[in-house]
Every structure is written in C-alpha cells, then in structure tokens.
Amino acid sequence: MTESVSNLDPELRRQWDELAAEVRRHRDLYYNAKPEIPDADFDEIFRRLQRLEEEHPELAVPESPTMEVGAPAAVSSTFDNVEHLERMMSLDNVFDEDELTEWLARTPSGTYLTELKIDGLSLSLVYRDGVLERAATRGDGRVGEDVTANARVIDDIPHELTGTEDYPVPALLEVRGEVFIALEDFGEVNELRQAEGGKPFANPRNAAAGSLRQKNPEDVRKRRLRMISHGIGAREGFSPASQHDAYTALAAWGLPVSPYTEQVHSVEEVVAKVRYWAEHRHDADHEMDGLVVKVDSYSEQRALGATSRAPRWAIAYKYPPEEVTTKLVDIQVGVGRTGRVTPFAVMTPVFVAGSTVSMATLHNQTEVQRKGVLIGDTVVVRKAGEIIPEVLGPVAERRDGSERAFIFPTLCPACGTRLAPQKEGDADWRCPNTRSCPAQLSSRLTYLAGRGGFDIEALGEKGAQDLIRTGILGDESELFDLTAEKLLASKVYTTKAGKVNASGEKLLANLAEARNTELWRVLVSLSIRHVGPTAARALAARYRSLPALVDAPAEDIADTDGVGMIIAESFKSWFEVEWHRQIVDRWAAAGVTMEETGGDVAAQTLEGLTIVVTGSLEGFTRDGAKEAILSRGGKASGSVSKKTDYVVVGENAGSKETKARDLGLTILDEAGFVRLLETGSAD
Ligand code: ZN
C-alpha cells in the first residue's frame, strides 16, 4: 500500500483495502467477461469506496480504483493490445434527482443532450480516410484489445464511410460506441453457446462481452451483435461545434446513431426526460439501464474538462436495477388453461424493480435447456416494470458441483394423466385430460371470468380453484346454473357461520349480468385455441350469432378480416367435441346470450384500416388505444410497414415515427387520432 494510506487509522485502512480490492476484482471480472455479481451490486461497492474517500480525502490516492477507467486487458488475451488515439473515459453515475440536480448546478449550459444508456461493451473504431482501420475494446481507457476482425462482421459497423456534400469523409475519425445483444436475441445466443460446448451466459451484457472476444470472426457473426455510437475521440478534418452536430455527421456517414437522443434546453427538461424514460424504459428498441446527460457544446465540454476517470460534462442517471441474482431452489411444473405444462423456477425471494420475486416462468423444456440453468444454481433474475419476472441464466462460475439438472415429469401433477406433446415435435407438453383435469378447469374458469371474457369480478383464481375442488362445478358448463344453495359448499364464498358471504352474493349478481354480454366475450370464454379477443370481435361483428357462426364453413370463417384458416379450423374442430357443444347448450339454456345484441357496438368506422400507435398519448393508455381501434373494426398493428394506413404519433415516439416518415405514411397526432376514430377519416 501507499505511504499516505499507511499513516492512517488501521481500521480505516483495512476498510479501504478491502473495498478497493473488491472493486478491482469485480471490475476485472466484468471487463474480462465473467462477472460474478450484478452491475447494481458493483455500483454499490464502488459508491461505498467513493464515499469513504470523500469522508477521508487522504484515501483518494492516484492508484485508487475510483481514479481508474475499466480494467487492464486480460493477461492471457488472444488479442493484441493497442493504444487508443484519444483516451476513452468512463462515466460517473448519479442515482437520484438530488444528485442529478447537483450535477446540473455544477455544469450550467444552454443545451444538454439526453441519450439512452445501453448496457453493453464499449468499442472504439478508427476510420482513416473513411476506411475502418481498427476496432478496440476500452481496456483501461488508454490501451484496449484489438478486435478489428470481429468488429468487421458486426452489421451495424460500416467498413467504409459514405461522404456527402455537406459531410465529406474526414481524414481521421475515432468513433466510440456501445456493442450489445438485444434481449430478444439473447435466448438464441445462449443456445448457440451451449451447443458449442460453452457455459451459458448470465445476461445479455456478458453475452455481448464474451461474443466480441471470440477467436473466430465467423463465430462472432452468429451472435447478432449490434452497435450504437455515443461519441467521438481523435479527429482530423472534422470539427463539429457540438455533440449533436457530431451525431448528425456520423449518421450521414452511415454510422449507427440512436434515434432516442434529444437536445433539451433547461434543467427542468433534463429532469423531465429522466422521469419520462424511467416510466418508458421498455419502449425503446433496445435494453437500457439509465439516461446519459451531456453538455452539448464541445467548447463548453473542453472548459469543464475531466477527472482522472470521467468527463465532468457528462453524467449517467442510473435507473433502479432490474437484474439481481438469487438461488434457484427448485424447478416445478404448472398446468395451464390449455393443458400446457409449464416449468417454473422456485427461487429464494429477492427484491427487484419494486417487488419481491420468488417465482418465474421457464416456458418449456427447450427454454430450460436453452437458458442452461440447473437446480441449485445462482441465477440472474430480471424483472422489468410490469413484465413478468424472468430467469435470464445461471452464474456458472458459482457452481460447486451440487447442482442437478431438471427432469421433466411424465405425469400431470394435477390429475396424474400421462403427459404428451400435442403434435410430434411440439416444444410444449400437455395434459390430455382437457375435460376434467382440475388445474385446466380452474384456469379456464379464471380466464373466462377475466376482463377479456365475461368479466366476472367476483370470480378470481382462488374462487375458481375452490369451485372446482369442492365439486360445486363439474366443469364450466355449469357456471350459469350456480345458485346460493350450491355455493354453501364453498370455502371462499361463505361466512364462518356457513352462509353465503358478500363475495358469493356478488358472484351471483355478476353472473346474472354476464348473461347479457357482448357475443365476442362469449366466444373468448369458450377457450378455443387461437380465438382471442381480436378474432372473437371480428367473428362476432360479421356473423352476429353463435349458431350462424357454427353453421358457417371453415373457408367462409377464414375469410373474415384478421381470422384466417388456422383460427377457422381451430374453431370448427372445437365444436366437433361433444362436451364442448354441451357447454354452449347449457349456457344458452341458462340464458347466456348467443346473439350480438348490437346496442353497445361502436360504429365500424375503421373497417379495413391498419393503424400503428407509437409513443405515449395523453388520453389513451397503450391498451386503451388498441381497444378503441379494434372495437371500431380496425387493425392495431405493432410495426410500421407499407401496408400501414395511419401512424399515430405520441410523445417520444422514437424509431417507428422515423420509419413512418421514411415510408411517406400518413402521420396523425392525438387530435387527428380522435377524429379518425369518430369519422374513419383523418381530414
Ligand atoms: Zn392434468
């Protein structure tokens, strides 16, 4: 240790030594692609060290890891070391609005840039006379690993820049960017990795880092790496006035820049952007873990300068972590509405993104293998906003040999029936006892009572399970024959004194009301494979009566807008089953409507129109906007194409808006959307 540290209180020195060693160790693991702990945990250790040094400035020696960027390249690296032309810095983080406001007060400016922070791997590209000469990882900021051959197979990285009249290609350009793997590609990348005999990656960041460091560029190509530029280093023949101008030039030359970068002109606007993206983290096309705020002007940047590790003119606002590690205690299976048997992870409870998580779906056997998790593994769990928690992958380095593989059961855990795939080669296994498997029955009941079905508020999962378990309902056909007397056998719908309780009364009232619902809700409630609300609405609107629909030939049904042959055939074959028809008959006998009454149907103003809504609207939620389109006979699409009739653009719309403009589509604001809903025309 250094002298300044050795003169200190020994306890303080011990604390500093431990923290510094921990930071160095995890940083090395992080940059050399095998991190043991999630980023958020690292951030916490790093901040503890920073705080200790703030309280005792004598500890803040030049060798402290708080003064360093990244970590030296691995000694055993297969790549040559190369020196960056201009140093690559790291970014300082803030974690709340107070810290952000303090930073903004230290860096007053008329224009800030806000950029989404991608959690990937930094890369530096050197273009000489427009030709890609070299690509290097960040390393310790001065020296990185030469990964040029691998960078050449990343689609987003041009081999040659295209000059334009406004932006001639500069003699020299050092571009900095982030290389990452999209979450949607991660599963396949992990599968590929295991097929090649490697251990699965814990999360997309590790996968990106590991992928970029492969020896054979052909293997790198398969990993679907992407890049977004986030700065420039050395340059000749190019002197932009601001970061924003630089991005405009990079885009003109064919380099990937983010569509989410925005110029804002006040401290209030910066804070508003931070709040906006905290709510809309998952609306971007890629993963993000924070918002980077930069002073836009290069002359202001130069005046502010840098510390030893990070520029003073930029800060990363880190959002709360969505990934944590925990123990995978067991893998069990559940049986769903359609008999699908789904493995799920049972974990040591862990707090992430605002709630405690102890279970997560693993989808199917293939998915368990693809993720490469073993029972007993330490796993990375991700929970993103409203999205259900997901196990990303194992921290394979933490294995001690006691882990065991999950073996898929052969019998249904709910009814003991032998499980089988529905068709040969299906990834999903099912319990074939559709009619009376208690797990399937209670899931079907819960589903038909849901918002997209009969909307029976008093019938939830617990109630459904109770009605089946007690034998009050043999199956869903008996639902509308339910009486107060029958309910007395229930545990959920009775008082301790053995009378029907308030929920029970409500259930009976709900059922009475649900008899006169819209026809599409009845269709959805039958749990016919592929017949969800969208298809059901289209069918109900066209045929207006269930008997008419049942009599229609499959070809005719398939001709319905948004339906097609798969749904039509699924519909027809459902009605071939005797006990299925009995459900409809008993419901009809109990007074459930089988006709479209037509009273509440919205005018079909949008028939034949495909509409994309992007960004956030004031008066509609995402689902609300979709509902408004569907109920008027329109098609709500998630992606912009030439076939799109209208694109409704809300705040912070992003890449879909850009694409719509490129395709020359009709773009509407919210007022235009409301007009369109009412009249079917945007004029
Ligand atoms: Zn079963």
Side-chain angles (χ1 to χ4, degrees), residues 4 16 36 152 219 276 363 436 600 649:
S4 54
W16 186 92
E36 278 180 8
R152 284 188 203 283
D219 292 332
Y276 176 86
H363 304 289
S436 43
D600 291 318
V649 168

Side-chain angles (χ1 to χ4, degrees), residues 416-438:
T417 307
R418 185 162 292 278
L419 304 175
Q422 195 165 47
K423 299 193 301 286
E424 186 109 5
D426 264 4
D428 295 332
W429 284 59
R430 284 167 201 274
C431 165
N433 180 18
T434 332
R435 185 173 190 183
S436 43
C437 175

Side-chain angles (χ1 to χ4, degrees), residues 435 475 477 577-587:
R435 185 173 190 183
D475 63 37
S477 72
V577 178
E578 168 84 29
W579 68 270
H580 285 168
R581 286 198 304 271
Q582 278 173 18
I583 297 175
V584 176
D585 291 346
R586 278 193 81 156
W587 284 0

Side-chain angles (χ1 to χ4, degrees), residues 4 22 340:
S4 54
E22 235 183 311
R340 198 156 76 96

Side-chain angles (χ1 to χ4, degrees), residues 617 620 648-649 668-678 681-682:
L617 302 175
F620 298 86
V648 180
V649 168
L668 302 179
D669 59 7
E670 185 161 351
F673 179 48
V674 172
R675 230 170 14 251
L676 179 69
L677 290 174
E678 281 166 8
S681 152

